[in-house]
Amino acid sequence: MVVLKELLSGIHNIPEPVMDELLEIWTPVQPGRKELLTICGNVEKHIYVVLDGVQRVYYLDDLNREATIFFTCTPSFSGELDSFFITETFKVYF
């Protein structure tokens, strides 16, 4: 939670009571190495914060070859944000 709090504080000065409420909605997850978090064609339902390691975003072309779009490193927000434009509900994870 310390890394998440520092990341959020670096974006905007958030009063402590508001920060406490904001941090309560985040749920820790530890995806496995090479575990897919968002499948192509699915609507994203989460915002992630990379606290340790690197997250790679990629797609498969018509020949099933991987093409990396970008890497997300510690500490950074992550997730397929464009997908949120077509959904009204989502959860946040770190």
Side-chain angles (χ1 to χ4, degrees), residues 28-41:
V29 295
Q30 282 192 296
R33 188 174 192 279
K34 295 192 175 192
E35 180 179 339
L36 296 177
L37 299 177
T38 305
I39 308 298
C40 183

Side-chain angles (χ1 to χ4, degrees), residues 4 16 34 36 51-52 78 83:
L4 179 57
E16 198 66 32
K34 295 192 175 192
L36 296 177
L51 298 178
D52 184 38
S78 186
S83 182

Side-chain angles (χ1 to χ4, degrees), residues 70-84:
F70 61 86
F71 292 97
T72 305
C73 301
T74 306
S76 296
F77 288 100
S78 186
E80 187 52 52
L81 300 180
D82 294 347
S83 182
F84 287 119

Side-chain angles (χ1 to χ4, degrees), residues 31-82:
R33 188 174 192 279
K34 295 192 175 192
E35 180 179 339
L36 296 177
L37 299 177
T38 305
I39 308 298
C40 183
N42 290 357
V43 175
E44 179 67 84
K45 295 183 181 169
H46 311 297
I47 295 174
Y48 300 95
V49 175
V50 178
L51 298 178
D52 184 38
V54 176
Q55 181 185 37
R56 179 174 73 119
V57 176
Y58 70 94
Y59 72 94
L60 298 174
D61 69 8
D62 294 339
L63 300 175
N64 212 30
R65 297 176 297 190
E66 293 182 4
T68 299
I69 300 170
F70 61 86
F71 292 97
T72 305
C73 301
T74 306
S76 296
F77 288 100
S78 186
E80 187 52 52
L81 300 180
D82 294 347

